[in-house]
């Protein structure tokens, strides 16, 4: 895709015809990466603001409202404050690992933005192993968290790091198995293909959510398991504020802490984006065929629809956080291994059998074919 | 049961160990006993069906100027009566048996009496200073306590 | 498998929880020895807040000691003030006017509500649900407004005096209290719907640190902790003082509704139900309060007769007892404050064996301890 973009750019602008193709491709890649990163960071910053406003609403108070109109620039103020803080590394901490850990977590979280299908043609790189890639790169977070817990030379951080590692690894299995139904229906791991497979004349009923009862359950299973992966309440035992005093990132301050923080919000978006793409129809615009529209309008509408759905799911995560208490670590592990894993497994079996028996048709498609 | 009746019952069982009954001006009344017999008398008061003092309300050390005392306030949830038990101790090396085997509630309060008065409770499962730092010198609630000038080099 | 596990050398971790810690309700230090997540031994270390109140009591006069009782348990200031007043009045045989007693009961029960609100709020915040804490604070602010009306202070009130109360109720105080009760009463079912019966919350608390009734009595637990273990003993009912004989209310007892009798959930529910009962008591007190003076005649240089007295009151955290020895002078001779949280900590080490680290927080919160009381 980058190559084709580069080619069309060279054709459009005669002045660039002298430049070799590989430089153009490289340039396009850098620009696209910059755009995605900017979006991701802007989103993460604004998400912290929205979280605080949502928290305020639920807790019968106002939330930030001083910095900027209705407090919108609060995240900039926080970011600048964190940048200006003193860089403290504990005396006996392992300096190299201590510095490395936030970067690993950050990369593990934001590298997944590359395959998020924002719109009809708006995807940084439509890898043909999209789903695998997201799951794999998100696992980098575990390494980062464990390094943070270990290198801080602090028993509380170590406990938090161990808990986090156990939790994230345990919930990888249900996440994977809950995503597979969508892959099976589309017949491809590429996220754009999965989204496209939910298109067509059925409109909203083309969503994978309504395809068959097993995928319906899958959506909720995926959302729950992914919530646990992102360490959000009710699964935030690794960073349980009131028990472990911030767990694995207790010794981090300033911009290093900001990386952990932003990575958490990035993770939330990736999870919601994946749920939208795989189950909620992705960027398909209601009542319109986005791919048939002129390129600019098609991209604009589909981007808007996709963001609305994904950010709606992010808002739901915030709502859950401020309502529910947290699970204890053994209850968490029990829930994953004794409940989620068997249920997702049988779910997957159910979807496979359904696709076999009904030749890949979902319930809405079958109802539509009855009525012609 | 009335304090007088409790006093008679205890005196009947333990004779010499029970010294006197302090009633006038004391609410609840105190049965004064000898320090060595505190544990046996406590067991009797807890287990005897007519007494059934299963709740130790309060255990305090007291510094009467010429001697120390440990005052126990007991209460029975079943029967509803209250009584006090007091044991007088000499000022130098005050010690008496611990009752934390009888009422586990006594443990922290005995540690407090030890910490603030220096009264040693023999046979206690855990006798350490509780409110003051482990290396504090002296027992503050005594009437003749002198405040230290320095603690670890810091002017107090 | 078991042999393999025993052959693996594991090390116990020694972790220090506090004195600075968000969940220990003050400067409490718990020395944890854990085997992974399971606690082998949890030893509390208190004394960081020791201010020698008992020694100070021997230096000041009876009236001057009243503000110190505020700081004994600052969340239930009125209750501690009143306990001291009742003790001295019992010693000296002072007759308190009935209106003053009713006022004392009204402020004590209001303070019980606000103390239980903080217990409820901070407990749920420790469990991870941050929202109920802010709702509790919102309700408590209204109680603080009432107290500000009555004595000017929002936290340490110093309102009760030996012989009565310092000033009569201001205008419209009883109407405002009734408005608050009408506003507050429907909130309790709201809290139950929001958090009390939430599945995750119940799972965190049910069957954790269950204490049987006999154990609770032997270890000196009192108040909601004792009643949570199924023992129906409330000083306001069993050894009534002040005007409590004229007031009708139920004693809330733990029933093991979601687990075992005497577990953390029971103690928590007893506090929630007690708030409801306090509302009942307040309504009756407001209806029954007579007119009259609010202060008995107590001489300025107050010298009670020689003697010893022990009085106990039902405070929100348990039974606050004061053992007072007077030698006939203006200063008390010996003043022992039996604080409920101090005696409750006796059972802490025993009850936390075998729990997980997250449960330690649940146990501390369910006991509703407060450090100034423990350390005096």
């Amino acid at each position: 895709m980058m190559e084709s973009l580069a080619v069309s750019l060279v054709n459009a602008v005669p002045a660039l015809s002298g430049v070799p193709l590989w430089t153009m491709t490289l340039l396009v890649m850098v620009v696209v990466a910059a755009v995605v990163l900017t979006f991701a960071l802007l989103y993460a910053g604004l998400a912290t603001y929205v979280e605080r406003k949502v928290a305020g609403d639920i807790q019968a108070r106002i939330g930030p409202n001083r910095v900027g109109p209705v407090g919108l620039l609060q995240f900039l103020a926080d970011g600048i404050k964190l940048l200006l803080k003193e860089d403290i590394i504990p005396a006996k901490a392992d300096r190299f690992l201590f510095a490395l850990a936030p970067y690993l977590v950050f990369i593990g979280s934001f590298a997944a933005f590359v395959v998020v299908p924002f719109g009809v043609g708006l995807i940084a790189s439509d890898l043909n192993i999209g789903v695998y890639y997201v799951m794999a790169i998100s696992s980098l977070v575990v390494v980062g968290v464990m390094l943070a817990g270990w290198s801080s030379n602090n028993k509380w951080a170590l406990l938090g790091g161990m808990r986090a590692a156990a939790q994230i690894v345990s919930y990888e299995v249900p996440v994977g198995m809950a995503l597979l139904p969508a892959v099976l229906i589309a017949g491809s791991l590429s996220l754009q293909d999965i989204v496209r497979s939910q298109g067509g004349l059925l409109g909203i009923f083309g969503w994978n959510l309504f395809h068959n009862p097993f995928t319906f359950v899958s959506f909720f299973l995926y959302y729950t398991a992914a919530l646990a992966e992102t360490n959000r309440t009710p699964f935030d035992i690794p960073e349980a504020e009131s028990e472990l005093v911030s767990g694995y990132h207790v010794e981090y301050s300033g911009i290093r802490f900001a990386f952990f923080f932003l990575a958490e919000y990035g993770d939330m978006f990736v999870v919601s984006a994946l749920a939208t793409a795989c189950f909620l129809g992705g960027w398909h615009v209601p009542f319109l065929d986005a791919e048939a529209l002129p390129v600019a309008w098609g991209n604009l509408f589909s981007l808007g629809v996709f963001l609305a759905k994904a950010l709606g799911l992010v808002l739901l995560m915030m709502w859950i956080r401020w309502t529910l208490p947290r699970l204890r670590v053994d209850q968490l592990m029990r829930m994953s291994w004794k409940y989620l894993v068997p249920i997702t497994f049988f779910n997957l079996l159910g979807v496979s059998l359904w696709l076999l028996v009904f030749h890949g048709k979902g319930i809405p498609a079958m109802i539509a074919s009855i009525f012609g | 049961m009335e304090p007088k009746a409790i006093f008679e019952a205890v005196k009947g069982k333990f004779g010499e160990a029970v010294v006197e009954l302090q009633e006038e001006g004391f609410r609840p009344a105190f049965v004064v006993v000898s320090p060595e017999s505190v544990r046996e008398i406590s067991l009797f008061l807890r287990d005897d069906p007519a007494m059934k003092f299963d709740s130790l309300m309060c255990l305090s050390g007291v510094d009467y100027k010429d001697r120390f005392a440990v005052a126990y306030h007991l209460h029975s949830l079943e029967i509803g009566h209250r009584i006090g038990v007091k044991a007088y101790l000499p000022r130098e090396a005050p010690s008496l048996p611990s009752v934390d085997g009888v009422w586990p509630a006594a443990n922290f309060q005995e540690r407090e009496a030890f910490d603030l008065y220096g009264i040693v409770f023999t046979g206690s499962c855990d006798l350490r200073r509780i409110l003051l730092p482990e290396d504090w010198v002296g027992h503050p609630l005594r009437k003749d306590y002198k405040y230290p000038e320095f603690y670890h080099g810091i002017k107090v | 498998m078991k042999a393999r596990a025993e052959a693996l050398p594991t090390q116990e971790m020694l972790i220090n929880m506090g004195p600075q810690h968000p969940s220990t309700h003050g400067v409490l230090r718990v020395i944890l020895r854990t085997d992974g997540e399971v606690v082998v031994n949890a030893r509390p270390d208190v004394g960081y807040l020791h201010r020698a109140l008992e020694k100070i009591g021997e230096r000041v006069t009876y009236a001057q000691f009243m503000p110190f009782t505020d700081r004994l348990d600052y969340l239930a200031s009125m209750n501690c003030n009143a306990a001291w007043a009742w003790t001295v009045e019992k010693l000296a045989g002072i007759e308190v006017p009935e209106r003053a007693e009713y006022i004392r009961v009204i402020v004590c029960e209001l303070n019980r509500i606000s103390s239980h609100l903080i217990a409820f709020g901070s407990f749920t915040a420790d469990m991870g649900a941050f929202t109920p804490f802010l709702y509790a604070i919102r309700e408590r602010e209204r109680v603080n407004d009432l107290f500000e009306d009555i004595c000017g202070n929002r936290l340490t009130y110093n309102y009760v005096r030996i012989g009565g109360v310092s000033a009569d109720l201001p205008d419209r105080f009883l109407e405002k209290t009734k408005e608050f009760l009408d506003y507050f009463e429907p909130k309790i079912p709201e809290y139950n719907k929001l958090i009390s019966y939430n599945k995750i919350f119940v799972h965190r608390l049910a069957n954790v640190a269950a204490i049987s009734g006999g154990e609770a009595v032997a270890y000196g637990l009192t108040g909601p902790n004792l009643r949570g273990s199924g023992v129906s003993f409330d000083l306001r009912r069993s050894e009534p003082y002040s005007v409590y004989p004229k007031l009708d209310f139920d004693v809330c007892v733990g029933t093991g509704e979601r687990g075992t009798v005497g577990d953390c959930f029971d103690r928590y529910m007893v506090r929630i139900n007690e708030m409801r009962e306090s509302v009942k008591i307040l309504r009756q007190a407001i209806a029954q309060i007579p007119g009259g003076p609010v202060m008995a005649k107590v001489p300025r240089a107050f010298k009670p007769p020689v003697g010893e007295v022990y009085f106990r009151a039902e405070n929100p955290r348990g039974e606050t007892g004061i053992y007072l020895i007077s030698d006939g002078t203006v200063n008390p001779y010996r003043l022992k404050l039996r604080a409920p949280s101090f005696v409750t900590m006796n059972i802490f080490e025993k009850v936390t064996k075998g729990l997980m680290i997250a449960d330690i927080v649940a146990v501390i919160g369910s006991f509703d301890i407060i450090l100034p009381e423990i350390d005096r």
Side-chain angles (χ1 to χ4, degrees), chain A residues 67 73-86 254-255 258:
Chain A
V67 188
L73 300 179
Q74 181 71 41
F75 76 96
L76 280 179
D78 286 337
I80 295 173
K81 175 200 81 171
L82 285 170
L83 266 170
L84 294 177
K85 275 206 182 211
E86 181 188 348
I255 200 67

Side-chain angles (χ1 to χ4, degrees), chain C residues 45-355:
Chain C
D45 182 15
V46 298
Y48 287 89
L49 204 46
H50 181 64
R51 296 152 294 166
L53 282 184
E54 297 179 0
K55 187 88 178 176
I56 292 176
E58 297 172 11
R59 297 267 194 96
V60 297
T61 66
Y62 291 87
Q64 282 174 335
F65 192 67
M66 191 60 85
F68 290 97
T69 57
D70 275 327
R71 276 96 182 144
L72 182 64
D73 174 2
Y74 54 78
L75 290 177
S77 264
M78 291 287 194
N79 287 286
C80 293
N81 279 345
W84 174 241
W86 279 316
T87 311
V88 178
E89 285 153 15
K90 183 171 174 183
L91 177 67
I94 300 175
E95 192 67 41
V96 179
E98 205 182 349
R99 186 177 170 82
E101 288 286 18
Y102 269 99
I103 295 180
R104 281 183 184 174
V105 166
I106 289 177
V107 293
C108 282
E109 291 302 319
L110 275 174
N111 215 337
R112 191 184 307 272
I113 291 179
S114 81
S115 170
H116 281 328
L117 277 171
I118 292 272
F120 150 74
S122 60
F123 187 43
T124 50
D126 290 342
M127 290 292 106
F130 307 104
T131 308
F133 183 58
L134 287 144
Y135 293 164
I137 296 282
R138 179 188 60 187
E139 265 63 277
R140 188 169 171 265
E141 284 298 299
R142 294 189 62 147
V143 177
N144 280 355
D145 287 339
L146 286 171
F147 283 147
E148 200 183 358
D149 264 345
I150 215 181
C151 66
N153 264 341
R154 293 173 76 84
L155 188 66
T156 47
Y157 309 114
N158 193 19
Y159 173 60
V160 181
R161 298 276 180 274
I162 299 174
V165 290
S166 72
D168 203 345
L169 298 173
D171 289 336
R172 294 202 62 237
F173 178 81
L174 292 173
E175 283 95 69
K176 284 196 222 168
T177 312
K178 241 197 294 246
E179 277 164 23
F180 166 71
L181 292 175
D182 292 333
Y183 160 80
F184 178 66
E185 206 165 357
K187 296 284 177 192
I188 301 177
E190 193 181 297
Y191 299 151
N192 281 347
K193 245 195 319 199
L194 170 66
I195 186 80
S196 303
Y197 292 112
N198 181 298
K199 202 162 180 342
I200 301 178
F201 192 67
V202 172
H203 271 289
R204 280 298 293 273
L205 301 180
N207 300 315
V208 171
I211 303 176
S212 70
E215 254 180 349
V217 173
Y219 272 90
L221 259 52
T222 49
N225 297 329
L226 180 64
R227 292 194 279 283
S229 292
V231 179
S232 170
F233 182 72
D234 186 328
L235 278 172
R236 297 172 290 171
R237 197 29 81 67
S238 314
E239 288 178 15
Y241 47 92
S242 185
V243 293
Y244 282 111
K246 302 194 192 147
L247 300 167
D248 176 43
F249 60 98
D250 298 320
V251 175
C252 312
V253 172
T255 52
E257 55 180 313
R258 290 295 160 117
T260 347
V261 175
D263 58 15
C264 290
F265 187 74
D266 270 346
R267 290 189 281 274
Y268 164 78
M269 274 321 276
V270 165
R271 292 198 180 92
I272 301 278
N273 292 333
E274 273 192 8
M275 285 201 281
R276 202 181 283 131
E277 297 303 318
S278 285
V279 169
K280 237 200 278 184
I281 297 177
L282 278 167
R283 286 198 201 278
Q284 292 169 50
I286 294 177
Q288 292 176 14
I289 186 170
V294 293
M295 186 73 181
K297 279 253 176 292
V298 174
R300 186 144 272 199
F302 173 63
K303 287 201 185 104
V306 175
E308 303 186 5
V309 75
Y310 180 76
F311 176 82
R312 48 186 187 162
E314 181 77 25
N315 269 22
R317 285 180 174 76
E319 159 197 322
T320 299
I322 304 182
Y323 174 43
L324 178 59
I325 302 182
S326 151
D327 57 353
T329 61
V330 289
N331 302 335
Y333 183 78
R334 163 78 168 122
L335 176 60
K336 154 91 181 177
L337 303 162
R338 184 252 191 233
S341 306
F342 184 66
V343 186
T344 306
M345 287 308 277
N346 256 318
I347 204 175
F348 184 75
E349 196 167 345
K350 174 176 182 295
V351 111
T352 49
K353 281 204 198 324
L355 294 181

Side-chain angles (χ1 to χ4, degrees), chain A residues 58-61 155-156 158-159 163 233-234 236-237 241-245 321-331 334, chain C residues 13-17 21-23 37 125-131 134-135 138 195 198 200-201 203-204 356-359 361:
Chain A
I58 295 182
Q59 292 167 355
R61 55 186 180 91
K155 278 180 187 148
W156 291 112
L158 183 65
L159 260 180
R163 281 176 174 179
T233 318
D236 68 345
I237 206 84
E241 235 173 78
S242 46
E243 290 168 32
L244 295 188
V245 206
R321 176 184 184 182
W322 296 109
T323 311
L324 295 177
R326 75 172 66 94
L327 287 164
R328 209 171 53 203
V329 89
D330 63 322
Q331 294 167 339
R334 192 191 316 139
Chain C
M13 272 208 291
L14 184 68
I15 312 182
N16 208 17
M17 199 164 155
H21 190 96
S23 306
E37 277 278 340
D126 290 342
M127 290 292 106
F130 307 104
T131 308
L134 287 144
Y135 293 164
R138 179 188 60 187
I195 186 80
N198 181 298
I200 301 178
F201 192 67
H203 271 289
R204 280 298 293 273
M356 314 202 83
I357 297 183
D359 290 330
V361 175

